[in-house]
Amino acid sequence: MNSTGSSAPVSHIGVLTSGGDAPGMNAAIRAVVRTAHYHGLMVSGILEGYEGLVTDSVKKLHVRDVSNIIQRGGTVLRSARSESFRSVEGRSIAKQTLDRHGLDGLVVIGGDGTFRGASIFTSEHGVPIVGITGTIDNDLGGTDTTIGFDTATNTAMELVDRIRDTASSHDRLFFVEVMGRTTGAIAMHCGIAAGAEFVMVPEKKQGIPELIHVLERAAKNKSSVIVIVAEGDEEGGAYEVARKVKERFEHYETRVSVLGHVQRGGNPTVADRLLASRSGVAAVEGLLAGRANEMVGIVNGKMVFSPFELVVQGAKPKEEDLMRILRILSI
Ligand code: ATP
């Protein structure tokens, strides 16, 4: 028995990617499709997330349909933010689509919104669903990290490395904006890895006075300074933060760089491909074992299942610890 009370084994599962795309989603799709076939299940891909269930965009996937995608960013199933799936009527149409195709289980790859939708759908229609982490934000409970986060952070770090080369040649103060509307995980990890002087994240109110203090110290002995700003920081994005402080630091030329969507693209790293492969196998085998309404994550190196309701509460804040490390290392 699983957490929804269903004990029916699955025979034909669907897989979809939903919400913002993340590098490694393709590796997860491949793992789901191949694991399903390995265990004698039929598997179909649903296009454009939950929207594909509403519009009946479903196609059978065979083992060779997922050849040559493990290394590609984005998602071959495409992703979407489906408004219709948010309504009772939309989800009822989605259930009819599942029935028409004989789908009796789902693997959904996405972020917290995706799992909220899955949880509601299961409670209304009893469909067993297992989730796989697919978000660059690393903002989910029940897992230490998410598929796409490592790649996105590496991309941001490489770009900041390049900015450092030019910044240190010209006594420049750079404000670099990275993705993260509600979470500063990319900003914090990339900040430490690229040796930034200061990081501003939505989870922690530090404010302009603390930034000015750090910049005043750096101005005495550093040829370049890099401040990483998560896009959702309450002081505003990188342009706004730069505007608030630049007059006080005329010694430096001030520049702003918004990294934007390059952080979502690119070939997934080894860590993301491995996590995606492990998650795909675990998700299908979880469905076969009667699991439902749960997401598979990685905790201390092991694959673990957690209920969607816990997952959507978000990750435990780790930023305080990392802030301290950054403060020590950026003197
Ligand atoms: P990311 O972290 O990359 O933003 P996400 O999964 O959180 O990914 P969302 O756009 O929040 O992205 O959610 C994906 C989809 O899940 C939505 O477009 C919608 O179809 C569905 N969804 C989200 N919340 C709900 C809800 N409360 N009820 C029904 N469906 C929902």
Side-chain angles (χ1 to χ4, degrees), residues 18-20 50 81-82 85-86 91 111-114 117 120 135 137:
S18 165
Y50 293 124
R81 303 202 193 262
S82 169
F85 193 76
R86 289 180 184 272
R91 292 191 294 274
D112 57 342
T114 300
I120 294 169
T135 170
D137 292 332

Side-chain angles (χ1 to χ4, degrees), residues 309-328:
E309 64 194 64
L310 185 146
V311 165
V312 301
Q313 287 168 15
K316 288 197 203 84
K318 312 163 194 125
E319 275 63 30
E320 195 57 50
D321 211 26
L322 295 176
M323 276 293 174
R324 189 176 156 270
I325 289 168
L326 189 112
R327 268 198 301 273
I328 294 172

Side-chain angles (χ1 to χ4, degrees), residues 29-330:
I29 294 166
R30 170 182 180 269
V32 168
V33 170
R34 295 210 167 155
T35 309
H37 283 285
Y38 180 85
H39 287 292
L41 300 178
M42 282 193 289
V43 56
S44 289
I46 295 145
L47 300 181
E48 308 204 322
Y50 293 124
E51 189 64 17
L53 285 179
V54 180
T55 58
D56 197 354
S57 304
V58 179
K59 61 171 187 185
K60 285 245 178 67
L61 291 174
H62 299 284
V63 172
R64 295 274 80 75
D65 291 329
V66 290
S67 297
N68 207 20
I69 65 168
I70 191 170
Q71 76 280 21
R72 287 167 55 193
T75 158
V76 292
L77 292 178
R78 303 172 55 81
S79 189
R81 303 202 193 262
S82 169
E83 277 315 305
S84 10
F85 193 76
R86 289 180 184 272
S87 69
V88 174
E89 300 76 41
R91 292 191 294 274
S92 163
I93 295 169
K95 175 64 165 76
Q96 289 164 26
T97 303
L98 291 183
D99 292 344
R100 206 174 306 118
H101 291 270
L103 290 163
D104 50 15
L106 277 180
V107 176
V108 298
I109 307 168
D112 57 342
T114 300
F115 304 140
R116 272 195 196 95
S119 189
I120 294 169
F121 192 50
T122 302
S123 66
E124 288 172 350
H125 298 288
V127 182
I129 306 181
V130 167
I132 291 180
T133 70
T135 170
I136 62 169
D137 292 332
N138 196 12
D139 59 350
L140 299 172
T143 190
D144 291 341
T145 189
T146 57
I147 296 167
F149 175 67
D150 188 65
T151 307
T153 312
N154 270 287
T155 303
M157 179 197 72
E158 278 168 28
L159 295 168
V160 175
D161 285 348
R162 288 166 191 239
I163 287 172
R164 176 74 77 181
D165 288 345
T166 169
S168 54
S169 308
H170 296 278
D171 278 356
R172 276 185 181 154
L173 165 57
F174 257 94
F175 294 85
V176 184
E177 184 174 306
V178 300
M179 280 186 162
R181 271 172 303 175
T182 55
T183 157
I186 293 179
M188 212 54 242
H189 286 240
C190 158
I192 290 179
E197 274 66 31
F198 199 70
V199 176
M200 302 186 70
V201 296
E203 295 90 333
K204 189 171 186 298
K205 186 171 165 37
Q206 300 169 92
I208 297 299
E210 198 171 333
L211 171 61
I212 288 173
H213 173 72
V214 169
L215 293 180
E216 276 170 350
R217 191 184 60 203
K220 293 187 189 129
N221 61 2
K222 293 206 177 199
S223 62
S224 66
V225 176
I226 293 186
V227 177
I228 309 276
V229 185
E231 62 181 324
D233 189 79
E234 61 181 50
E235 292 289 353
Y239 277 102
E240 187 57 18
V241 173
R243 190 189 61 75
K244 288 177 181 168
V245 302
K246 73 176 185 190
E247 272 133 43
R248 301 178 68 126
F249 298 95
E250 284 174 347
H251 156 67
Y252 290 113
E253 282 181 61
T254 302
R255 295 286 184 274
V256 177
S257 186
V258 177
L259 300 189
H261 280 80
V262 289
Q263 293 160 93
R264 274 198 194 280
N267 298 349
T269 57
V270 173
D272 277 333
R273 295 184 203 192
L274 202 60
L275 178 59
S277 300
R278 293 179 72 187
S279 302
V281 173
V284 174
E285 292 186 342
L287 277 174
L288 274 169
R291 288 192 173 277
N293 224 16
E294 291 178 317
M295 182 201 80
V296 60
I298 186 162
V299 178
N300 294 331
K302 294 207 164 54
M303 305 314 290
V304 296
F305 288 86
S306 305
F308 286 143
E309 64 194 64
L310 185 146
V311 165
V312 301
Q313 287 168 15
K316 288 197 203 84
K318 312 163 194 125
E319 275 63 30
E320 195 57 50
D321 211 26
L322 295 176
M323 276 293 174
R324 189 176 156 270
I325 289 168
L326 189 112
R327 268 198 301 273
I328 294 172
L329 300 183
S330 64

